[in-house]
Amino acid sequence: MPKVSPDYVIKKKNVILEAALSVCKVKPLYDITMRDIIKASKVSQGGIYRYYTDIDEILVAIINQANANADYKKDIDIIIDKNDTPNIRLEKLFTFLGEYIKDNLSTVGKIHFELTILFANNPERQKKILPHITENESGRYLVEQIFMTIHEGIAFKCFQSDVALEDLFSFIVTSIDGIVRDVVLQKCYGMFQNEQALFDEVRLMNTLCKSVQSMLGCS
């Protein structure tokens, strides 16, 4: 390979990743092939293999890029730094999550949903891909702030849980996962559309918040 500048390599890799991301929006992650990337990027087969050894290396780069772009910890900090009551802060955190899902469904949401399917059906590829994925900490951070807000509300007697906190926190996490899964299935795969209205991510998260508030004794 002729000697090229680092900037040229970065630019070429970005062209390939942008093409790969466009393919991800219309084809399941687990079905994408190098031929798909070559066609979308208009880079020759030999050219792509100069920068990426195989499709899994490209998938790792896509996922890591998506996770890096999904860093919203500063937005969460803005919410929790305001002098709101725990009840109001809880509402804002759930609303933020609904808006984030709505804005990023076709990229981050779809990619992570399909990644779980890829791993479930191909453990060998999971072993190859997973160690190289940079974890997105923002989602965990948001859930932690929801839990801390509930603890604070209980400490200040704003909340009084009718259920064990461990059960409440499990309910919140599994409900969020379920909402994300069903919204992805409906909006990215066309499921459920003949059975009910189009899901609204913000309204679903607000409804979940109201359910949590009810279990915390809020009127």
Side-chain angles (χ1 to χ4, degrees):
M1 179 178 176
K3 186 175 180 61
V4 295
S5 69
D7 287 344
Y8 178 86
V9 172
I10 292 171
K11 182 178 179 181
K12 208 67 177 178
K13 282 190 168 185
N14 285 338
V15 167
I16 294 169
L17 290 185
E18 287 173 11
L21 188 58
S22 71
V23 175
C24 283
K25 292 180 180 180
V26 297
K27 191 171 184 178
L29 189 77
Y30 44 81
D31 280 342
I32 295 174
T33 65
M34 285 297 267
R35 183 171 295 180
D36 295 321
I37 310 300
I38 291 166
K39 183 178 179 181
S41 66
K42 297 182 172 57
V43 176
S44 69
Q45 179 172 322
I48 280 193
Y49 281 107
R50 287 191 184 102
Y51 302 102
Y52 295 99
T53 57
D54 57 22
I55 186 63
D56 287 340
E57 189 175 352
I58 292 179
L59 294 183
V60 167
I62 292 171
I63 294 162
N64 286 342
Q65 186 181 74
N67 285 342
N69 292 338
D71 184 1
Y72 48 82
K73 291 176 72 175
K74 290 182 180 178
D75 297 309
I76 300 170
D77 287 337
I78 290 172
I79 294 173
I80 63 177
D81 286 344
K82 291 186 177 179
N83 192 27
D84 292 321
T85 65
N87 198 27
I88 296 298
R89 188 188 312 142
L90 197 64
E91 291 174 357
K92 288 183 177 180
L93 289 170
F94 275 103
T95 298
F96 173 84
L97 180 56
E99 291 171 346
Y100 175 80
I101 294 170
K102 192 168 195 171
D103 292 340
N104 295 275
L105 185 71
S106 64
T107 52
V108 179
K110 182 175 182 290
I111 287 171
H112 283 278
F113 175 76
E114 291 170 353
L115 188 64
T116 62
I117 298 174
L118 171 63
F119 287 170
N121 292 319
N122 200 321
E124 289 305 313
R125 290 185 73 185
Q126 178 182 5
K127 291 177 184 176
K128 182 180 177 183
I129 293 172
L130 192 58
H132 302 288
I133 291 178
T134 303
E135 186 176 359
N136 174 14
E137 297 182 354
S138 295
R140 180 190 299 176
Y141 184 65
L142 174 56
V143 172
E144 287 174 353
Q145 294 307 315
I146 289 173
F147 292 172
M148 288 179 65
T149 298
I150 291 172
H151 278 298
E152 181 183 330
I154 291 173
F156 286 102
K157 302 190 183 303
C158 302
F159 300 148
Q160 184 175 355
S161 181
D162 293 333
V163 298
L165 286 184
E166 181 179 349
D167 294 337
L168 177 60
F169 293 162
S170 295
F171 169 75
I172 292 171
V173 171
T174 54
S175 296
I176 291 172
D177 288 346
I179 288 172
V180 172
R181 179 200 62 219
D182 286 354
V183 170
V184 168
L185 286 173
Q186 185 185 73
K187 295 191 175 181
C188 297
Y189 297 94
M191 295 182 66
F192 312 131
Q193 292 190 8
N194 295 327
E195 302 173 16
Q196 53 202 55
L198 201 63
F199 292 139
D200 183 304
E201 299 88 333
V202 178
R203 289 180 62 186
L204 286 169
M205 284 299 168
N206 286 340
T207 300
L208 174 58
C209 181
K210 286 181 172 60
S211 299
V212 172
Q213 288 172 321
S214 178
M215 286 185 276
L216 290 170
C218 301
S219 56

